[in-house]
Amino acid sequence: MSDDVTVDGSPSVDRGRFPTAVTPWDDEAWRGAALGWVSEVLGARGLRETGARQVRVRPWSVLVRLAVDGAGGAVWFKANPPGSRFEAALGEALAGWVPQRVLTPIAVDAERGWSLLPDGGRRFADTLDAGDAGPRAWEEMLGQYAEMQRALVPHAGAIEALGVPRARTAELTGLFDRLVEANGALTGEERVVLDGLRPRVQRWCAELAEAGVGDCLDHSDLHEGQVFHAPERGRFTFFDWGDGLVTHPFCSFLVPARCAVDRHGPGVLPRLRDAYLEPWTADGHSAAELRRALGPAWRLGAIGRACSWGRLFPGAADGTDLAGGGAAAQWLLRLGDEPPL
């Protein structure tokens, strides 16, 4: 959070590197309605605020931490933009399907994209930063995440029905085409590069489909800051589903693998790969088959990352480095990177 000092109970507002981004938080009427909803929910549960609010504003979300006299000492309000409004309903559904792996919302307003969540404890990033965990913890985290994905395969249709974007393996080439066509940040030279990649995208999709693993929920941004870690219980809890897609589950591996390599070096990849794939062998797939599938999935995961950058509050990108789709363009170009597997 921001280090701004609060006075007379007013909240500190952390705007990160987007100080001019336009979000609903700047609308007094919206702010009153949102915080009024939070107060009603807390009151109905016998909870009372006990300190100043802390606000984190980004072009893709509004997050408010509220200190309370119960519920672990704090609760979190989150508001999503239209492109990820589904997260509220998805969070509620996940709590029913895989309760041991996610936060159970205190309340949601699915129509407005609002969630009120309990405090999840220590983030995995904090554990790593403190030196209390190393590469082996990444293996445990990815194994638990894969188990959760396997449990969600039968629910793929229901997840789509909640509004989670559809990016099925067989349809990723079409999504790639639409993203390239709509992106105003790509140069002519970059478009030539991506046009040249298109036949390979088709081939990677076909190779991935041959693995026979069903599409399901892909978090699409599974870095260490999006996971809670309780080392004493050996448990990881996954949150922040606003970048989610229904696509091939293996596309999830791209982001955590890159983050783990940044922290520990490329030598960790073989064990991380095998830890993630091991739960999938329970469906009758050989380890060799699954390893072959992970290469094209690593590449195609960049499409989901490019897709997620369109989920911003209306007007929030104006005057920022996100305007015109620059971040999405960079992810599309990473499709050509050779997976270090």
Side-chain angles (χ1 to χ4, degrees):
M1 295 300 299
S2 168
D3 291 330
D4 294 348
V5 177
T6 61
V7 292
D8 43 0
S10 62
S12 63
V13 181
D14 169 14
R15 298 181 182 272
R17 60 187 180 90
F18 307 101
T20 63
V22 178
T23 71
W25 179 258
D26 302 304
D27 182 321
E28 184 176 355
W30 182 93
R31 196 165 62 244
L35 296 176
W37 177 76
V38 170
S39 295
E40 289 179 8
V41 170
L42 294 178
R45 287 157 178 78
L47 299 174
R48 180 178 59 86
E49 285 192 66
T50 59
R53 298 159 177 164
Q54 295 175 301
V55 184
R56 182 180 183 274
V57 176
R58 297 293 186 268
W60 52 85
S61 68
V62 171
L63 192 65
V64 184
R65 181 188 186 276
L66 305 101
V68 296
D69 57 352
V75 296
W76 298 80
F77 166 77
K78 184 173 184 179
N80 292 81
S84 62
R85 186 173 293 154
F86 62 81
E87 186 180 3
L90 176 62
E92 189 171 46
L94 290 175
W97 294 326
V98 286
Q100 72 280 17
R101 301 295 183 207
V102 298
L103 294 175
T104 296
I106 297 169
V108 301
D109 185 324
E111 185 175 344
R112 292 189 285 192
W114 294 350
S115 305
L116 190 64
L117 302 163
D119 190 80
R122 195 183 197 191
R123 298 180 311 152
F124 187 33
D126 301 325
T127 303
L128 292 166
D129 290 344
D132 295 335
R136 184 60 62 88
W138 287 88
E139 297 170 30
E140 296 170 357
M141 184 271 282
L142 285 169
Q144 292 183 25
Y145 177 73
E147 291 171 358
M148 178 184 67
Q149 284 187 300
R150 283 189 63 243
L152 292 173
V153 169
H155 301 290
I159 292 171
E160 283 183 359
L162 295 172
V164 179
R166 177 186 176 101
R168 298 281 188 162
T169 305
E171 302 165 2
L172 279 174
T173 304
L175 177 57
F176 167 78
D177 290 340
R178 294 192 297 274
L179 289 170
V180 171
E181 182 179 1
N183 193 291
L186 290 165
T187 66
E189 182 178 342
E190 289 169 339
R191 290 183 181 278
V192 170
V193 170
L194 291 173
D195 285 345
L197 279 175
R198 189 182 188 280
R200 300 173 71 189
V201 170
Q202 286 184 301
R203 185 174 74 249
W204 296 329
C205 290
E207 292 172 357
L208 199 50
E210 287 174 3
V213 175
D215 291 340
C216 71
L217 182 62
D218 168 18
H219 185 287
S220 193
D221 194 23
L222 188 65
H223 59 74
E224 59 269 52
Q226 312 275 46
V227 183
F228 295 117
H229 185 207
E232 68 282 359
R233 291 182 288 165
R235 177 180 174 183
F236 293 87
T237 302
F238 305 96
F239 70 99
D240 201 346
W241 296 94
D243 291 337
L245 295 165
V246 175
T247 188
H248 198 284
F250 291 7
C251 291
S252 287
F253 188 73
L254 170 64
V255 171
R258 285 169 54 97
C259 293
V261 167
D262 287 345
R263 282 184 179 265
H264 309 292
V268 302
L269 275 178
R271 290 181 64 96
L272 294 187
R273 173 199 63 198
D274 292 347
Y276 174 70
L277 294 177
E278 194 279 331
W280 300 96
T281 63
D283 297 324
H285 306 290
S286 71
E289 290 171 334
L290 296 172
R291 286 175 179 173
R292 284 195 296 271
L294 201 60
W298 176 292
R299 293 183 183 274
L300 294 170
I303 295 179
R305 294 299 303 129
C307 185
S308 69
W309 280 104
R311 304 176 195 176
L312 307 175
F313 289 114
D318 296 346
T320 76
D321 56 355
L322 304 178
Q330 292 305 306
W331 276 107
L332 288 171
L333 292 165
R334 286 176 186 168
L335 280 160
D337 294 348
E338 187 69 29
L341 296 170

